[in-house]
Amino acid sequence: MSSPVLPVVVLDDATQAVPLGEALLAGGIDSVEITLRTAAGLEGIRRARAVPGLRVGAGSVLTPAHVDQVVEAGAEFIVCPGLSTAVVSRAREHGVDILPGVATASEVMAAVALGLDEVKLFPAGLLGGPAYIEALSAPFPGMRFVPSGGVSAATLADYLAVPSVRTASGSWMVARDLLARADWARITELSAQALDL
């Protein structure tokens, strides 16, 4: 990931993808993870790809078939809650970046064995937050971690202060209630505030 903040979006209405992407860009965030947690996710990825300058990824990717679907929809990167060799392999077949999830040192070792140098740490807050990442980073000096799950405006700076963390993902700036109200101005404001942190 290149941006310090990666919004994790759960779309209930695919038509919101374009104004959402524009609102994020207006706040300075140029990447978004649209999850497959709802029926609108796949179409949301397709629509968001129409926003110039926005890098669109797919989240909650669980199977090789999901990889095929999101790549066809235009996803530029893939995020998974866990580590699946089959999913990593399929993403590589498509030439798409993948960010699999890990929670333990054993899973990080499996990621290293697959040649990965960046993983999602999930659920970061429940696992121990920044202190856990600091401890986990020690035996894996070449690994970068993207904390997800429990990251908020209040904790973002603490996560980004960890040397092995360049990006943190969260959903507070794209919360479902903001999407339901189509409050694009507030999403832009929260995005800009996140980058200021």
Side-chain angles (χ1 to χ4, degrees):
M1 296 291 107
S2 56
S3 174
V5 182
L6 177 64
V8 180
V9 178
V10 179
L11 279 180
D12 293 304
D13 179 355
T15 64
Q16 295 176 326
V18 169
L20 169 63
E22 292 169 344
L24 290 171
L25 283 171
I29 293 178
D30 62 2
S31 297
V32 64
E33 172 191 338
I34 298 177
T35 70
L36 300 184
R37 296 180 200 170
T38 65
L42 205 57
E43 180 60 22
I45 292 167
R46 273 193 196 90
R47 291 175 182 241
R49 289 286 288 124
V51 180
L54 184 68
R55 187 166 187 246
V56 181
S60 303
V61 174
L62 307 179
T63 67
H66 280 167
V67 174
D68 295 339
Q69 292 168 351
V70 300
V71 169
E72 186 278 328
E76 297 172 83
F77 62 93
I78 291 169
V79 184
C80 309
L83 177 62
S84 161
T85 299
V87 171
V88 171
S89 296
R90 186 61 60 87
R92 285 180 167 161
E93 288 171 16
H94 285 289
V96 176
D97 292 336
I98 184 162
L99 189 68
V102 300
T104 67
S106 295
E107 291 168 331
V108 179
M109 286 178 67
V112 170
L114 290 171
L116 298 166
D117 61 6
E118 188 169 35
V119 291
K120 166 182 168 175
L121 184 78
F122 177 80
L126 292 176
L127 290 170
Y132 182 73
I133 300 173
E134 289 267 18
L136 194 58
S137 297
F140 303 104
M143 185 63 70
R144 293 189 310 276
F145 295 89
V146 178
S148 182
V151 180
S152 67
T155 61
L156 177 63
D158 293 333
Y159 281 105
L160 292 176
V162 177
S164 60
V165 174
R166 292 192 313 193
T167 301
S169 68
S171 58
W172 74 91
M173 79 292 292
V174 289
R176 283 174 104 164
D177 64 314
L178 294 174
L179 295 172
R181 296 195 310 267
D183 195 345
W184 313 123
R186 182 62 175 153
I187 289 172
T188 295
E189 179 183 12
L190 290 171
S191 297
Q193 288 174 1
L195 289 183
D196 287 342
L197 292 171

